[in-house]
Amino acid sequence: MSQATVIGLGEMGAALAGALVRGGRSVTVWNRTGAKAERLVREGAVLAPSAADAVRASPVVVVCVSDYRATRDVLETKEVAAALAGRALIQLSTGTPKEARDAEAWTLRHGAEYLDGAILAWPSQIGGTETVLLASGARATYQRSEALLRTVAGGVTYMGEAIGLSSALFAAVLSYLAGRWIGLCHGARICEVEGLSVASFGATLARLAPVLGEDARHMGEVIEKGAYANPESTLGTAGADIGRLVQHAEEAGINAEVPRFAAALFRRAIDAGYGAEEHAALIKVLRT
Ligand code: NAP
């Protein structure tokens, strides 16, 4: 028996398996495309000949494949499902809260324990002392798996027994990132058309990171308390500034779809009477 099995050796799965091996664990691995295991085998992992053999090899089975559909492709065969009984399955593929609930029900029906995790990191950060991995599921299962999870992510955070909590927070963080990535690319177009260095723009954002982080924390508190009054800067001011981004895009002849989308949301909030409130009051438009 090895201490842990890792199924899925893409960018993330290979990073997870590598961190476990370097952390001194005995690790069995399996991947649909076996060649991806070569480096890990040189480092000390054992390549199982089949997914069922990989599951049988360890009391803890970590799955990190593209999504839950791929997980089902691997696990939902008679032989693999039977092999899972009595083991703990830790799902680290990204999915939705409903997919996590369905996967938990399926796993429990097959006599195994289940934890659902979400990785808030890039593969190169796996194994780091600050790396954040969210985990939800039965507390006792988490406690038995915590040391192993801490080997791959020192900042592992237990979210609670409700299995969908990790994927829900992952989805919320991803929504935030999506806005940032789109905004950064439009900002880069502004730099390109106005003769600014895009790399310097990125560096400026990095310098502002603590302030931007504080804005996120502040917005979270404002929305949770419903305390939108007495803002330092109003939604109306932000809306006017974002409206000017549309004007700039039209003047400069660049694609205007990102500022148009943002300006329209702010316009709706202003028209609904929230212009004198905190910019977080934009959420009221999204609740309708
Ligand atoms: P990846 O490099 O594309 O690897 C995908 C893995 O899934 C490979 O092992 C692939 O096997 C396997 N796979 C896909 N479809 C399959 C199927 N039908 N049957 C069996 N195996 C299948 O992706 P990744 O970056 O490792 O991401 C894996 C998970 O980690 C995803 O859910 C992702 O959202 C999550 N994640 C990734 C990052 C990141 O930065 N990469 C960050 C946070 C979370 P083959 O090698 O045979 O194709």
Side-chain angles (χ1 to χ4, degrees), residues 7-14 16 30-34 36 63-74 91-95 118-124 170:
I7 291 181
L9 300 175
E11 295 295 334
M12 187 53 87
L16 295 168
W30 183 83
N31 192 55
R32 181 178 60 179
T33 308
K36 287 189 188 167
V63 179
C64 186
V65 289
S66 302
D67 51 26
Y68 281 60
R69 180 186 291 252
T71 299
R72 287 200 301 277
D73 286 349
V74 177
Q91 166 68 282
L92 297 182
S93 318
T94 302
I119 304 167
L120 296 183
W122 310 115
S124 61
F170 183 94

Side-chain angles (χ1 to χ4, degrees), residues 212-286:
L212 300 179
E214 178 56 27
D215 180 57
R217 193 196 58 73
H218 175 73
M219 285 183 75
E221 283 188 2
V222 163
I223 291 172
E224 190 157 302
K225 290 180 185 153
Y228 304 103
N230 307 317
E232 204 175 341
S233 162
T234 65
L235 185 151
T237 302
D241 290 344
I242 291 165
R244 214 164 290 115
L245 285 179
V246 178
Q247 181 189 340
H248 169 267
E250 287 167 356
E251 288 170 0
I254 61 173
N255 184 309
E257 60 194 308
V258 171
R260 268 198 203 114
F261 167 72
L265 275 180
F266 274 83
R267 185 73 257 157
R268 273 169 56 202
I270 293 165
D271 291 348
Y274 309 133
E277 300 186 359
E278 288 263 0
H279 54 266
L282 191 74
I283 194 172
K284 297 181 187 182
V285 169
L286 300 182

Side-chain angles (χ1 to χ4, degrees), residues 34-230:
K36 287 189 188 167
E38 281 169 12
R39 190 178 52 77
L40 284 158
V41 168
R42 280 199 301 277
E43 288 178 13
V46 173
L47 174 62
S50 72
D53 286 313
V55 170
R56 277 191 286 268
S58 311
V60 178
V61 178
V62 176
V63 179
C64 186
V65 289
S66 302
D67 51 26
Y68 281 60
R69 180 186 291 252
T71 299
R72 287 200 301 277
D73 286 349
V74 177
L75 299 185
E76 294 188 12
T77 70
K78 226 172 170 183
E79 203 190 354
V80 176
L84 268 174
R87 295 179 159 71
L89 176 64
I90 304 180
Q91 166 68 282
L92 297 182
S93 318
T94 302
T96 66
K98 180 182 181 305
E99 287 179 310
R101 288 190 287 273
D102 291 347
E104 178 185 47
W106 181 88
T107 307
L108 297 182
R109 269 204 314 282
H110 287 84
E113 298 175 67
Y114 184 74
L115 282 183
D116 202 87
I119 304 167
L120 296 183
W122 310 115
S124 61
Q125 295 170 309
I126 294 301
T129 51
E130 305 294 321
T131 302
V132 178
L133 186 157
L134 311 173
S136 39
R139 186 175 293 274
T141 308
Y142 172 75
Q143 284 168 342
R144 278 195 291 279
S145 314
E146 186 178 356
L148 185 120
L149 290 173
R150 211 165 278 290
T151 307
V152 298
V156 61
T157 304
Y158 180 58
M159 299 291 293
E161 299 232 337
I163 201 74
L165 291 175
S166 298
S167 48
L169 186 54
F170 183 94
V173 171
L174 185 61
S175 165
Y176 174 71
L177 289 178
R180 276 179 49 158
W181 291 335
I182 293 168
L184 188 140
C185 288
H186 184 79
R189 285 296 292 130
I190 295 175
C191 293
E192 285 174 351
V193 77
E194 298 293 352
L196 283 165
S197 155
V198 180
S200 301
F201 167 50
T204 301
L205 289 176
R207 232 176 32 245
L208 290 173
V211 178
L212 300 179
E214 178 56 27
D215 180 57
R217 193 196 58 73
H218 175 73
M219 285 183 75
E221 283 188 2
V222 163
I223 291 172
E224 190 157 302
K225 290 180 185 153
Y228 304 103
N230 307 317

Side-chain angles (χ1 to χ4, degrees), residues 2-4 16-27 43-44 148 151:
S2 49
Q3 289 168 297
L16 295 168
L20 288 171
V21 169
R22 285 188 292 281
R25 309 267 171 175
S26 54
V27 179
E43 288 178 13
L148 185 120
T151 307

